[in-house]
Amino acid sequence: MRVALCQLPISSDPATNLGRVTEAVASAARQGADLAVFPEATQARFGSDLRAIAEPLDGEFGTGLAAAARNTRVALVAGVFEPAPDGRVFNTAVAYSESGELVAAYRKIHLFDSLGEHESALVAPGSEPVVVDLAGIRTGLVTCYDIRFPELTRALTARGAELIVVPTAWAAGLFKEEHWVTLVRARAIENTVWVAAAGQVPDPSSPPTRAPTGIGRSMLVDPMGTVRADLGPWGQVTVAELDSAMTARVRAVLPCLEHRREDVFGPADPASRADPDSRADPARLARPVSGSGPATERDAARSR
């Protein structure tokens, strides 16, 4: 399959951002993409009045995202804001199929109350990991700061994810860019999954803000940790190939999921603690999840 990393400048105006999304999905479609990944907070950049902007998923912005997917036959993931019951908002990653159907909504679990930021003042946390079939691949959803918590990505892998999608508005700061690149690659390597991470870049037409507006560095990383695409600091739409068969080859020569000691550490998926019947089978995680074929000597050598 082909994945489009849509590294966009995000303004405080949802209508402007929806227009940029529509143009980006059309560009992705022209490049043969099956899935387009957009940043966290695609609806409106941080520093905006998020309470006023937030809307139900079937509101104007969500309807526009659905139309963009349906009109181009490209599935997409993007970050939006929903009203939360306590007066705050949810920071939500929504996934639409190529037919424009809303197939998943993931509410960000880990909130960025770090390095001088206090996301939880405006954003309510979610509590449920989400995996969905999207553009023909089992896909787990992670948002920005979540990438620092390896147990979330491991739980998504335990639920069968071959691809982890990461919308982000990664804040600039000392060592932050190095952290981002390291964490995205680490999550791919330790779970033998593909990771498609799409970030914001600052919008030159919007007034400066102290809120996070993104550093770019959108990436596609393969299950061996090789960076297949890195978009750097500028806004652009880039399409790269995701080879699902490689997941099977890597897991055949590097079966670290199979070797995890569940008897020592407990189940990888926290949901199985409450429902033992739902516990993932470690052997299943080690088997090829798509594609087939023997591992090559080159794959084996790279795994050592």
Side-chain angles (χ1 to χ4, degrees):
M1 69 176 294
R2 289 175 64 78
V3 178
L5 301 176
C6 301
Q7 183 164 287
L8 301 187
I10 304 298
S11 92
S12 59
D13 176 31
T16 297
N17 296 326
L18 186 57
R20 291 171 179 171
V21 168
T22 301
E23 291 176 3
V25 176
S27 173
R30 289 192 296 271
Q31 297 177 64
D34 303 293
L35 171 65
V37 184
F38 288 89
E40 176 187 24
T42 297
Q43 185 177 6
R45 69 176 186 168
F46 288 104
S48 308
D49 186 348
L50 300 184
R51 291 187 178 94
I53 288 166
E55 61 183 35
L57 298 183
D58 61 356
E60 184 175 353
F61 197 82
T63 301
L65 293 177
R70 182 174 60 252
N71 293 339
T72 58
R73 303 298 296 176
V74 175
L76 68 84
V77 175
V80 302
F81 296 104
E82 300 176 83
D86 63 3
R88 293 182 290 178
V89 302
F90 290 118
N91 183 345
T92 303
V94 288
Y96 292 86
S97 70
E98 65 275 10
S99 65
E101 178 187 2
L102 177 64
V103 292
Y106 164 67
R107 293 167 173 171
K108 186 178 182 182
I109 291 174
H110 302 100
L111 302 182
F112 186 48
D113 290 355
S114 299
L115 300 174
E117 302 291 339
H118 194 56
E119 186 178 7
S120 65
L122 286 173
V123 176
S127 59
E128 178 60 35
V130 172
V131 178
V132 63
D133 292 320
L134 194 62
I137 191 167
R138 194 75 172 150
T139 303
L141 304 180
V142 167
T143 300
C144 201
Y145 189 51
D146 282 330
I147 200 74
R148 291 187 182 271
F149 299 86
E151 59 271 28
L152 174 57
T153 309
R154 178 52 56 89
L156 299 174
T157 306
R159 296 185 185 195
E162 288 184 73
L163 168 65
I164 305 298
V165 167
V166 192
T168 189
W170 199 260
L174 183 63
F175 283 102
K176 288 294 302 301
E177 190 167 333
E178 288 84 353
H179 287 188
W180 169 250
V181 173
T182 301
L183 289 162
V184 172
R185 293 188 67 206
R187 298 295 85 87
I189 293 165
E190 69 197 5
N191 293 292
T192 54
V193 293
W194 290 83
V195 176
Q200 292 185 24
V201 292
D203 182 1
S205 65
S206 296
T209 176
R210 293 183 60 193
T213 55
I215 59 166
R217 296 303 300 271
S218 301
M219 293 189 294
L220 179 67
V221 181
D222 73 24
M224 287 297 291
T226 301
V227 178
R228 298 299 190 94
D230 183 335
L231 273 56
W234 314 115
Q236 58 183 294
V237 176
T238 295
V239 175
E241 193 76 28
L242 186 158
D243 178 10
S244 289
M246 182 183 179
T247 308
R249 293 198 302 271
V250 172
R251 290 182 179 181
V253 297
L254 187 59
C256 54
L257 296 174
E258 181 183 6
H259 294 161
R260 184 180 182 276
R261 290 288 303 278
E262 187 168 300
D263 60 317
V264 176
F265 298 107
D269 180 2
S272 64
R273 294 183 175 92
D275 180 8
D277 292 337
S278 71
R279 182 172 297 183
D281 174 9
R284 178 188 62 78
L285 294 178
R287 292 198 294 267
V289 286
S290 69
S292 60
T296 64
E297 287 300 319
R298 181 183 61 185
D299 291 331
R302 291 174 68 197
S303 73
R304 295 187 185 118

